[in-house]
Amino acid sequence: RRAMATFLRRAASACSRAALVAVPAGTVACALAPTALPFTPVFADAGPDASDETAEAKRAVAEMHARVADLSAELEGLRSRVGAAAEGDAEAARVQRAVQQQEEEDSLKFLRLLQYQEGVWEGVTADKLQEQAAALAKEKAEALDQLAGHKAEVQALALKDQEERLAQEHEAALEALRQSERAAHEAERVAESRERLARLAALHENVDALDKAYSYDAEYKQRSHGLHRLCAALGAVEEALRGSRDAKLGPRLLALKAAAPDDPVVCAAIDALPAKVATAERVPTVRELQARFDTVSSQGRIASYVPEGTGIIGQLVGAAVAALAFKEKGLVDATDAAAVFARADFFVAREQLAEAVVELEQLRGLPRTVAQDWMDAAAARCAVEQSVTLLRAHTTTLTCALA
């Protein structure tokens, strides 16, 4: 048993050394085990260029394989013998020595075989490495050539892209510059146009102001001339009212209307006059009306006392009664004819002809007939005076507006 254990340990040591040349250690261990399998060494693939030494190494390995098989058979025999001779120490010692000697011889042979295989594989590996180095150098050179070509292509493409990008950037910069110049020219043109328009607007305003000034001046002169004509015609009418013998009222009223034919106030004031007044040569003055009213008032008082239908006798009776009766004066508070004449006399004395006419309008019968002519004359003068007063106020307004 001790001899077998020693043999197995040495076989395991030899297998570990064989692992250095790519021979699996388990193969030797299994070959030397009690149930060893046939020993098959494993070689690295040397390729199609393996030398004769490799063939000899294979043959040596085959011989060693056979020898290991024989040793395995002998080991089995030794086992059987060891089992049979286990009773004798001398036989066991002899078997142990024989096994030990055989193990040493086999280990020495196996070691030499492994050394030989290692040398063979070192040469084969060196040649193969040189071939692989040459192939790798060639592949490296080809790869470098391809890389150089690819790099040149990439550089050409990059240069082309850069040129295109620079061209686009240059074109964009030129376009931006053109747009900037165009915008500057447009802004300058717009500013110049605005300046011209401002000058034209100022010139237009000046022309409009000058035209307005000329128009206003012409209009002012025209209106001033028309106003002067109107004032002159109105002055002529006032002169006729003052009783001038050479001043005829009718023609001067027509001249007053002709002086402002487009003035509605003037036309309305002239058209409002009675037709007889508008065509009359003159109207009595206030003094004349006052003088006439004394007679009208006396005759009216007498007529107020004349009974109706009595004829001349009644007039005589009325004159006698009027001479004997008290003559009322002032604003008498009564409704008879004498009181009306008294109030009318009060207004006439103060040149209030319109109020006197209003009072006389209350008369009826013979007193009204006596006072009618004076009432017509006074009403005509009042109408003309009212029109003149209205037109004088109108001319004053026009004068203020003209100023």
Side-chain angles (χ1 to χ4, degrees), residues 116-166:
Y116 175 74
Q117 185 180 4
E118 183 179 359
V120 172
W121 277 105
E122 286 179 355
V124 173
T125 304
D127 295 338
K128 187 64 177 178
L129 289 175
Q130 290 179 357
E131 292 177 359
Q132 289 181 355
L136 289 175
K138 184 178 180 180
E139 291 179 358
K140 180 180 179 181
E142 292 177 354
L144 289 175
D145 293 339
Q146 293 179 358
L147 181 61
H150 182 67
K151 184 177 181 180
E153 292 179 357
V154 171
Q155 289 179 352
L157 291 176
L159 182 60
K160 184 177 180 181
D161 292 340
Q162 186 177 7
E163 290 178 353
E164 291 179 354
R165 185 173 66 256
L166 290 176

Side-chain angles (χ1 to χ4, degrees), residues 328-339:
E328 297 177 340
K329 295 182 179 181
L331 298 177
V332 180
D333 187 12
T335 58
D336 59 338

